[in-house]
Amino acid sequence: MLIIPAIDIKEGRAVRLEQGDMDKETVFSDDPAAVAGYWLAQGARRLHLVDLDGAVAGKPRNESIIKDIVGAIDGSIPIQLGGGIRDLDTVERYLDAGISYIIIGTAAVKNPGFLQDACAAFPGHVIVGLDAKDGKVAVEGWSKMTGHDVIDLARKFQDYGVEAVIYTDIGRDGMLNGVNIEATIKLARELVVPVIASGGLTNLSDVKALCKVEAEGITGVITGRAIYQGTMDFRKAQAMADKLGHGKKEEGVA
């Protein structure tokens, strides 16, 4: 299982939000590219980037910062990126710039045809991000709840050809109160494609619990606040995941 450091970008800085609230941010660095380099040096095998301003605006807002991060990583490990990606031109531009996987979230829910087109045009490079609370999907930076059932949508998007599903429990993200393992397992069991867990990872106990259910199809977990605030040591977390998992050290999870 991969432990995937998150770098959330707002106004050019690396931040973390509480439950996706743009007004509840903690700034961790004014230099996101340096943060990326640090996690690479710590042994990260994939990075998770989010253009938070882009997610709200519906179009890229921190593209130059993202390109700086790509430059700092220089192809060493895959990078997955989400936030404000709403058209095929943007997908192509980011992939050409060196991003490995594009994460489509709100646009997948509001415009499924776009997701289907992206999967067809860029096979192997599209991940869908489903953010949910109590089994229902949220969109637009978690500001709006929909009536869509997360499992039903995930099955539909799997048929489109997505490479993986990132499942975030928005009630837990940024709160350091544990991953919703039960809901993540429930989703993973319904899918063939890998599920990447997100939201609430707090400490090594969470990593251990996730590794126990890795065989269900949960192949990675995204971590943010825990590794920035020090409730979890990244190196120890990945070492534990390697020991308890299948012992594989793939570059990707999908």
Side-chain angles (χ1 to χ4, degrees):
M1 178 177 294
L2 290 187
I3 312 299
I4 307 171
I7 303 175
D8 292 354
I9 305 161
K10 182 173 183 277
E11 297 173 355
R13 302 179 296 181
V15 309
R16 292 300 290 170
L17 306 181
E18 289 185 13
Q19 295 181 310
D21 190 333
M22 291 289 277
D23 294 324
K24 295 181 179 179
E25 69 177 62
T26 303
V27 177
F28 288 106
S29 176
D30 292 325
D31 188 350
V35 175
Y38 173 79
W39 293 126
L40 177 64
Q42 290 295 305
R45 299 200 287 271
R46 184 184 286 210
L47 290 179
H48 175 81
L49 309 184
V50 180
D51 180 349
L52 292 172
D53 302 302
V56 174
K59 57 184 177 181
R61 289 296 195 199
N62 289 283
E63 194 165 347
S64 62
I65 299 294
I66 290 159
K67 288 180 178 178
D68 288 344
I69 291 173
V70 172
I73 296 302
D74 194 26
S76 300
I77 57 174
I79 299 173
Q80 59 192 41
L81 167 69
I85 299 170
R86 304 284 196 270
D87 58 68
L88 294 178
D89 286 344
T90 302
V91 175
E92 185 172 27
R93 192 166 69 247
Y94 274 134
L95 291 176
D96 285 346
I99 295 295
S100 303
Y101 301 99
I102 297 297
I103 303 163
I104 300 175
T106 291
V109 180
K110 299 181 76 172
N111 182 11
F114 163 56
L115 178 66
Q116 193 167 21
D117 289 345
C119 289
F122 308 103
H125 294 283
V126 178
I127 294 173
V128 68
L130 292 176
D131 307 325
K133 186 175 183 180
D134 300 325
K136 300 299 180 182
V137 174
V139 295
E140 295 182 18
W142 307 349
S143 63
K144 295 181 181 178
M145 295 301 300
T146 73
H148 294 295
D149 180 83
V150 66
I151 291 177
D152 290 345
L153 269 188
R155 283 179 180 150
K156 177 181 177 180
F157 296 156
Q158 175 179 261
D159 291 343
Y160 289 174
V162 297
E163 191 71 3
V165 174
I166 295 174
Y167 173 69
T168 304
D169 185 318
I170 65 174
R172 302 193 182 209
D173 189 78
M175 301 303 291
L176 295 178
N177 57 5
V179 176
N180 190 336
I181 292 177
E182 183 180 351
T184 307
I185 292 172
K186 185 178 179 182
L187 176 63
R189 284 176 174 166
E190 297 292 332
L191 302 176
V192 176
V193 298
V195 171
I196 299 171
S198 176
L201 189 75
T202 305
N203 51 40
L204 294 177
S205 295
D206 290 331
V207 175
K208 186 175 182 179
L210 281 168
C211 286
K212 286 182 178 178
V213 296
E214 183 176 4
E216 300 285 359
I218 304 167
T219 52
V221 59
I222 295 165
T223 177
R225 190 173 290 273
I227 55 174
Y228 289 106
Q229 292 191 342
T231 64
M232 187 182 78
D233 180 277
F234 173 79
R235 278 186 180 273
K236 288 181 180 178
Q238 186 61 70
M240 174 182 282
D242 290 341
K243 182 178 179 180
L244 297 178
H246 302 305
K248 297 177 181 178
K249 293 191 176 183
E250 304 101 333
E251 289 194 340
V253 300

